């Protein structure tokens, strides 16, 4: 069986794609799986690290601010379509899977035109442009949220949930061991702040603008992933602030603040967290649902169709998460989180409600559909 998987651009697209590939391999260890991504995007590193071959297309998104630059983009789209056709001719896939992102457009478009059955996996509660355009040509559309018939033909939709990083569900680590890993006190409540691998300026500013509040923390500690992009700037600002307080070091000034640029073991980080502060990417939300984690969501305003806000509101409407608007976060986010983490009843309600939204075994269910289409 030859399976081609296309898409990427962000971890929210790549992790589900790899999870689906791994699930297909469990069903058919002899399956040949080829990824197609976008040149220069993170899938070109992450997919080979996971043990799969990948080919990059010279595709990129349209520039809405500088329309003249789109002449070059149109050429890249045309070139990517030609390359996609050649890849399909060479690899001869039995099925094509699109997980969203630039590369899935040309690849699935060509695959459908050449008679290859196609499956789309839509992670968000608001469908992306690429997947909406491809929907008419797809055989199956796997979604993570209910009510997606407003974007896709109802008869093609299958509610599967989003595949997540399998290690998060498999790692069996105690809270004590996880606290030891990060140098945390297991007796204190822990708020985990994450803005993705690159970080989120708004979430970072929400801490930096309230360092007096952080210095006064007693029974609450913060595990703060700043993102590598912001780490040097934040280290400088924390050192300056500690100096102004007359402290010998940042650790002395803020003993309950634990700062890192990147967290490698997210399973351990989630294990220590009594509350998470996060962007509202579809992949992250799926992880919070499956693990039953109370979360304060700060949707990024810099995404297509404002889909992160729509993801967040799908949880908020079910009392499964708390929402703070990006523009208001620097002023209110930290105070909101501190109040919430000390409210045991509200935390319990959030845990119970977010767990109800979990859709387990997503990767295996999608893989079964992939194999069904391939062998049909």
């Amino acid at each position: 069986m030859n399976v081609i998987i296309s898409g990427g651009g962000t971890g929210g697209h790549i992790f589900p794609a790899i999870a689906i590939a791994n699930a297909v391999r469990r069903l058919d260890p002899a399956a040949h799986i080829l990824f197609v991504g976008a040149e220069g995007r993170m899938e070109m590193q992450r997919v080979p690290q996971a043990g799969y071959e990948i080919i990059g297309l010279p595709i990129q998104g349209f520039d809405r601010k500088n329309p003249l630059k789109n002449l070059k983009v149109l050429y890249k789209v045309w070139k990517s379509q030609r390359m996609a056709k050649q890849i399909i001719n060479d690899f001869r896939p039995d099925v094509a899977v699109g997980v969203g992102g630039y590369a899935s457009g040309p690849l699935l478009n060509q695959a459908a035109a050449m008679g290859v059955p196609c499956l789309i996996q839509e992670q968000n509660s608001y469908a992306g442009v690429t997947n909406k355009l491809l929907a008419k040509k797809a055989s199956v559309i796997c979604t993570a949220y209910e009510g997606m018939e407003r974007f896709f033909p109802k008869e093609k939709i299958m509610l599967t949930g989003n595949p997540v990083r399998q290690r998060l569900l498999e790692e069996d680590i105690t809270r004590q061991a996880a606290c030891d890993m990060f140098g945390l006190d297991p007796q204190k409540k822990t708020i985990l702040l994450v803005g993705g691998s690159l970080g989120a300026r708004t979430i970072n500013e929400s801490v930096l603008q309230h360092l007096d509040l952080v210095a006064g923390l007693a029974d609450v500690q913060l595990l703060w992933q700043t993102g590598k992009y912001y780490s040097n700037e934040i280290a400088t600002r924390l050192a300056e602030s500690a100096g102004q307080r007359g402290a010998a070091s940042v650790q002395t000034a803020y003993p309950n603040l634990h700062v890192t640029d990147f967290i490698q073991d997210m399973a351990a980080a989630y294990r220590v967290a009594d509350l998470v502060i996060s962007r509202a990417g579809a992949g992250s939300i799926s992880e919070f649902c499956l693990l039953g984690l109370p979360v304060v969501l700060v949707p990024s305003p810099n995404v297509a169709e404002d889909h992160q806000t729509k993801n967040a509101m799908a949880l908020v409407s079910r009392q499964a998460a708390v929402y703070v608007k990006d523009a208001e976060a620097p002023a209110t986010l930290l105070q909101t989180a501190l109040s919430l983490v000390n409210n045991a009843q509200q935390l319990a309600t959030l845990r119970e409600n977010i767990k109800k939204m979990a859709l387990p075994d997503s990767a295996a269910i999608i893989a079964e559909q992939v194999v069904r289409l391939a062998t049909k």
Side-chain angles (χ1 to χ4, degrees), residues 33-239:
I33 299 174
L34 174 67
F35 280 76
V36 175
E39 290 177 353
R41 305 296 295 220
M42 63 187 292
E43 60 263 27
M44 301 307 294
Q45 283 84 41
R46 295 295 178 89
V47 169
Q49 287 170 2
Y52 295 101
E53 180 187 356
I54 185 167
I55 297 173
L57 300 178
I59 189 78
Q60 67 182 81
F62 285 95
D63 191 328
R64 298 176 187 180
K65 294 180 181 179
N66 302 292
L68 289 176
K69 291 186 177 180
N70 289 329
L71 292 173
K72 187 176 181 181
V73 175
L74 286 170
Y75 170 73
K76 290 186 174 183
V77 170
W78 174 80
K79 186 177 180 182
S80 296
Q81 293 272 12
R82 290 190 56 137
M83 286 181 64
K85 185 174 183 179
Q86 188 60 52
I87 290 167
I88 293 164
N89 276 327
D90 293 342
F91 187 67
R92 301 180 66 80
D94 298 296
V95 61
V97 179
V99 296
Y102 304 139
S104 63
L107 193 287
L108 262 73
N109 193 43
Q110 287 295 326
M114 297 167 74
V116 179
C118 297
L119 179 147
I120 293 173
Q121 200 259 325
E122 173 57 62
Q123 291 108 23
N124 293 292
S125 62
Y126 194 91
V129 174
T130 300
N131 279 350
K132 282 191 283 189
L133 292 172
L134 293 169
K136 292 178 182 178
K137 302 176 181 180
S139 301
V140 177
I141 303 169
C142 298
T143 67
Y145 293 89
E146 296 175 347
M148 297 301 284
E149 56 270 10
R150 59 200 165 123
F151 305 111
F152 304 128
K154 186 176 181 179
E155 67 277 6
K156 296 183 179 182
I157 295 174
M158 185 173 186
L159 184 64
T160 61
N162 282 326
V164 302
R165 292 170 282 188
Q166 196 63 28
R167 189 181 171 200
L168 295 178
L169 305 177
E170 293 174 347
E171 184 163 323
D172 185 19
I173 185 171
T174 65
R175 189 172 191 275
Q176 177 69 57
C179 284
D180 291 344
M181 185 183 299
F182 296 109
L184 298 168
D185 183 346
Q187 302 304 315
K188 295 180 179 179
K189 296 183 178 72
T190 303
I191 299 175
L192 170 66
L193 301 98
V194 287
S197 57
L198 297 177
R201 180 175 289 280
T202 299
I203 292 176
N204 291 340
E205 286 296 328
S206 300
V207 179
L208 290 169
Q209 292 184 22
H210 297 280
L211 290 175
D212 286 344
L213 185 59
V214 173
L217 293 177
D219 59 349
V220 177
Q221 57 197 345
L222 307 180
L223 177 56
W224 179 19
Q225 179 185 279
T226 64
K228 295 182 179 180
Y229 184 78
Y230 300 105
S231 60
N232 290 336
E233 175 195 348
I234 289 171
T236 300
R237 290 174 66 177
L238 286 175

Side-chain angles (χ1 to χ4, degrees), residues 189-191 219-220 274-275 294-296 319 322 334-352:
K189 296 183 178 72
T190 303
I191 299 175
D219 59 349
V220 177
D274 295 285
L275 176 68
V295 59
V296 180
Q319 292 185 295
V322 172
L334 193 57
Q335 293 92 327
T336 299
L338 289 171
S339 174
L340 178 56
V341 81
N342 285 306
N343 188 329
Q345 185 174 351
Q346 191 175 2
L347 284 180
T349 299
L350 289 172
R351 280 194 198 95
E352 182 181 348

Side-chain angles (χ1 to χ4, degrees), residues 236-250 253-254:
T236 300
R237 290 174 66 177
L238 286 175
E240 289 173 353
S241 178
Q244 290 167 3
R245 299 180 68 86
S249 67
V250 172
Y254 309 108

Side-chain angles (χ1 to χ4, degrees), residues 270 276 278 284-293 295 297 354:
Y270 286 154
V276 181
S278 172
S284 296
I285 286 177
S286 294
E287 293 173 357
F288 303 147
C289 291
L290 285 164
L291 297 171
L293 285 171
V295 59
L297 296 170
I354 200 169

